[in-house]
Amino acid sequence: MKDRTAKDQPDSSKPSRRRFLKSGAVLAGVLGACADSGNVSDSGPRTLGDIPSPYGQRSTYEKSVRYTHLSDTPEAGPSRTPLQDSYGILTPSSLHFERHHSGVPTIDPSQHHLLIHGMVDRPLVFTMEEILRLPSVSRIHFIECSGNSGREWTTPEPTVQRTHGMLGCSEWTGVSLSLLLSEVGVQSEAKWIIAEGADGCKLHRSIPMEKAMDNIVIAYAQNGEAIRPEQGYPLRLVVPGWEGNTHVKWLRRIKAVDQPYMGREETSKYTDLMPDGKARQFTFVMEAKSVITFPSGRDKLPGPGFYEITGLAWSGRGLIKSVEISIDGGQSWQEAQFQEPRHPVALTRFRLPWRWEGQEVTLRSRCIDETGYVQPSREALIEARGLNTRYHYNGITAWRVSSDGSVQNAYA
Amino acid sequence: MLAAILAATPLMGQSPNYGVGRSPTPEEIKSWDISIGPDGRELPPGEGRAVEGKEVYTRRCADCHGSEGQGGDQGEALVGGEGTLDTPKPVKTVGSYWPYATTLWDYINRAMPFDSPGSLTHKQVYALVAYLLYLNGIIEEEEVINAQTLPQVRMPNREGFVPDPRPDVGRTDQSQKN
């Protein structure tokens, strides 16, 4: 669906706590003008605070939100994670990006079933209660929409939330798909599965049996609690390292079949049209990618001094092996430090201490994964694939810091 | 307590290792199995022609997709675009891009109209498919679309897809590094 009528929410990439803490505290002395940088003092008698509550809320001072750009058909569209405000590697479930094709269904788990059938020995229907009783696994994985950074091909966007926000990383808990497939007994002629959701459009994708038997999780929990409705409650696929559209939410049915079923999502969408008019299919793996989340587009550094450059790197092929940062427009690169432990096919936090002298600089990050794959430049990506696809962009992002401290997408 | 647990536990557990799940009835499977593959073997009975499809289209589809599939504010173009895929302004439609006609049946039946998916009869879906194929110049106006004819329809871009060759860029290149 086309986004013709822009009803933008306010961008949450305005002054954040991160920037306030990082720049305000350090530079309060330099600037001498921060509103509340003054004396520390007690202010009279103290009062009692709030009582314990059944379900926690964040501080009312915290304003970071998902970015939505609503079209005339907002049930088919995304919201984006505020990566500029992120810490560490986990995305709060409440801020994890969304991409729906028919809105968020309301599902009573006591009425939800998973049917596995097709080329199997024993087609079976499972209740949620039964699925919750089975041996469980927990894994930390990123999910990235293959349309993430899609505008960077032609019309780069101003903030990291808009360039890279269809990305999140969670601890997912559920049952191995391979366990359920062995319970139904997959027949030898079954080479693919079709996974189908219970949303209005019954979104479905074809996935090779080899991947289905490898490491797919049928997840019911995210970050220690039940998956939220917009993330697929009560059951979704997590397909480690593959494009987000394959991670079918509100999972209701899996059919073992002999060939890909060529659904609308995997033919007319999510295929990459090349300059010669041929389109690539299937482009499942999300290749290695990184982005600096601070400083990033629309930040404003209050003045010269110390800052920590930080960002995220990830690869659908495994572990991130190294991240290099350039502060001189790509002339030289230096190694960033990792937050450990790193997890394969998960967001990986990198950091680099930096002293800004007040000159114009352009910041870039470049990652290498365990297969030796090096994140390509935007130029190399466009050279190889042209400008007719909106999917699978993983080029290097460049943030230009002007001498007044303002930060912009250097390609915008 | 024990009685409650037993009552909640299916006595007819079917799976060999964990004793969970039950066998669905053929009717249950049939009601859920809406997947139509490229060979069309799951297509249900029924048929339709472009003339009937035009009537359904005008009532149920034209508000979003335009009076003749040209696209609108809320719905993408369904018609046209042939010969544009290798130009700087490719127009990807059913006619110019979709490799299989069965996908059209599957998607309309599964997901359309956008605000009321699942509300079309099988006959209406066949008729809409016939109308859209006709608008794209792929079939004749009088042709009947049904479970036998639809899988035989050859889409213009059937050969337009190639396997993923990645990694195509981004291989280790030490010369980039200082």
Side-chain angles (χ1 to χ4, degrees):
Chain A
M1 294 294 167
K2 293 162 186 155
D3 297 354
R4 291 280 172 80
T5 313
K7 298 178 194 115
D8 287 22
Q9 266 194 0
D11 204 326
S12 75
S13 63
K14 298 299 184 278
S16 70
R17 183 175 69 176
R18 168 183 295 284
R19 254 140 283 152
F20 179 77
L21 289 177
K22 285 181 183 296
S23 56
V26 172
L27 295 160
V30 177
L31 299 175
C34 285
D36 291 319
S37 63
N39 299 331
V40 175
S41 65
D42 253 332
S43 54
R46 295 177 292 280
T47 56
L48 289 172
D50 291 335
I51 63 172
S53 59
Y55 198 84
Q57 301 291 324
R58 66 178 172 178
S59 164
T60 55
Y61 294 102
E62 293 300 311
K63 304 297 184 191
S64 188
V65 292
R66 292 190 284 227
Y67 174 79
T68 56
H69 174 95
L70 300 181
S71 69
D72 285 345
T73 51
E75 297 86 356
S79 67
R80 294 163 204 249
T81 305
L83 297 176
Q84 70 281 1
D85 301 323
S86 62
Y87 303 97
I89 62 169
L90 293 177
T91 308
S93 303
S94 54
L95 295 174
H96 192 285
F97 84 97
E98 304 159 88
R99 175 66 167 100
H100 314 308
H101 294 75
S102 196
V104 180
T106 300
I107 297 177
D108 175 350
S110 72
Q111 303 299 311
H112 190 74
H113 298 90
L114 174 64
L115 168 65
I116 306 183
H117 71 118
M119 294 173 170
V120 301
D121 295 335
R122 295 170 294 278
L124 288 171
V125 182
F126 301 96
T127 64
M128 282 303 298
E129 186 222 14
E130 289 172 322
I131 290 169
L132 287 161
R133 279 166 52 199
L134 294 171
S136 58
V137 294
S138 289
R139 302 210 194 101
I140 294 174
H141 287 307
F142 76 84
I143 298 178
E144 181 184 20
C145 178
S146 53
N148 196 29
S149 314
R151 287 184 182 273
E152 299 309 288
W153 290 103
T154 54
T155 50
E157 299 208 83
T159 68
V160 71
Q161 184 166 19
R162 287 165 66 173
T163 58
H164 289 77
M166 285 197 279
L167 170 71
C169 183
S170 298
E171 183 194 77
W172 302 99
T173 299
V175 179
S176 289
L177 174 57
S178 61
L179 183 152
L180 284 172
L181 290 176
S182 65
E183 290 293 88
V184 298
V186 173
Q187 296 170 350
S188 59
E189 65 266 37
K191 304 300 183 196
W192 292 70
I193 62 164
I194 306 166
E196 180 181 272
D199 47 341
C201 66
K202 305 283 180 276
L203 186 136
H204 66 143
R205 282 295 302 257
S206 305
I207 298 171
M209 187 61 75
E210 188 181 7
K211 180 70 172 177
M213 288 297 195
D214 181 16
N215 59 1
I216 293 178
V217 177
I218 295 184
Y220 44 73
Q222 176 184 13
N223 297 330
E225 63 178 351
I227 288 176
R228 296 194 170 208
E230 70 267 32
Q231 297 303 333
Y233 184 84
L235 206 59
R236 77 172 300 169
L237 283 191
V238 173
V239 187
W242 284 23
E243 62 182 355
N245 187 250
T246 61
H247 300 229
V248 174
K249 297 187 284 189
W250 314 293
L251 183 73
R252 73 163 195 172
R253 187 167 73 96
I254 290 172
K255 184 178 185 183
V257 292
D258 57 353
Q259 60 185 322
Y261 263 40
M262 302 297 179
R264 180 252 199 183
E265 303 298 329
E266 60 209 17
T267 53
S268 77
K269 309 293 176 187
Y270 304 108
T271 46
D272 294 303
L273 184 59
M274 295 294 107
D276 65 358
K278 300 289 186 188
R280 295 176 177 179
Q281 185 203 38
F282 297 83
T283 28
F284 286 128
V285 173
M286 299 305 292
E287 295 189 298
K289 186 168 171 181
S290 71
V291 67
I292 293 169
T293 56
F294 179 84
S296 62
R298 290 191 180 165
D299 277 338
K300 181 85 193 271
L301 305 182
F306 173 81
Y307 297 93
E308 181 182 73
I309 297 172
T310 184
L312 296 163
W314 62 100
S315 169
R317 294 198 181 99
L319 206 60
I320 291 293
K321 196 173 72 181
S322 77
V323 172
E324 301 163 317
I325 290 175
S326 171
I327 56 173
D328 58 7
Q331 299 300 303
S332 65
W333 298 82
Q334 52 189 308
E335 203 80 18
Q337 300 148 6
F338 285 130
Q339 170 183 317
E340 301 284 359
R342 284 169 285 153
H343 303 270
V345 195
L347 293 189
T348 300
R349 172 68 61 178
F350 62 85
R351 304 177 169 113
L352 183 73
W354 176 50
R355 188 165 294 278
W356 183 47
E357 308 292 350
Q359 78 283 26
E360 179 173 310
V361 294
T362 302
L363 308 176
R364 286 177 170 80
S365 64
R366 176 172 77 187
C367 66
I368 303 173
D369 72 14
E370 65 175 288
T371 70
Y373 176 95
V374 184
Q375 182 184 9
S377 69
R378 178 169 185 266
E379 294 77 12
L381 207 53
I382 292 173
E383 172 71 23
R385 300 185 200 160
L387 292 170
N388 283 351
T389 182
R390 278 290 183 85
Y391 304 111
H392 304 102
Y393 181 96
N394 69 325
I396 290 171
T397 298
W399 302 116
R400 187 174 56 246
V401 182
S402 300
S403 55
D404 68 356
S406 63
V407 185
Q408 290 158 332
N409 188 337
Y411 293 119
Chain B
M1 183 63 163
L2 184 60
I5 292 171
L6 288 174
T9 305
L11 298 174
M12 296 292 288
Q14 296 285 320
S15 76
N17 297 307
Y18 297 99
V20 293
R22 67 168 174 82
S23 299
T25 65
E27 292 71 34
E28 281 181 298
I29 293 178
K30 193 172 173 223
S31 74
W32 271 29
D33 187 6
I34 56 173
S35 300
I36 308 296
D39 57 21
R41 67 190 150 196
E42 302 92 347
L43 281 165
E47 62 180 39
R49 292 180 178 78
V51 61
E52 301 140 18
K54 181 176 185 178
E55 189 273 325
V56 180
Y57 181 90
T58 303
R59 282 192 294 115
R60 305 298 302 275
C61 318
D63 279 357
C64 293
H65 291 288
S67 58
E68 293 197 311
Q70 72 273 25
D73 287 348
Q74 298 182 51
E76 60 190 33
L78 305 172
V79 173
E82 277 195 68
T84 67
L85 296 184
D86 60 354
T87 72
K89 289 194 186 301
V91 179
K92 299 194 286 183
T93 74
V94 171
S96 69
Y97 196 63
W98 290 36
Y100 297 95
T102 46
T103 308
L104 194 52
W105 203 102
D106 178 281
Y107 186 67
I108 293 172
N109 180 61
R110 169 185 302 277
M112 288 287 119
F114 179 71
D115 59 358
S116 187
S119 63
L120 298 169
T121 65
H122 290 169
K123 183 171 165 40
Q124 288 175 318
V125 176
Y126 275 116
L128 283 169
V129 168
Y131 181 55
L132 291 171
L133 294 174
Y134 164 66
L135 282 180
N136 277 293
I138 296 167
I139 64 168
E140 299 296 326
E141 189 167 15
E142 292 305 314
E143 280 188 58
V144 174
I145 291 297
N146 58 31
Q148 286 69 49
T149 59
L150 181 60
Q152 306 303 319
V153 173
R154 185 146 184 102
M155 298 297 275
N157 198 40
R158 175 66 185 81
E159 299 301 324
F161 292 81
V162 295
D164 173 18
R166 298 175 309 159
D168 51 350
V169 282
R171 289 305 250 175
T172 304
D173 180 3
Q174 294 298 324
S175 68
Q176 284 182 19
K177 299 172 74 175
N178 285 12

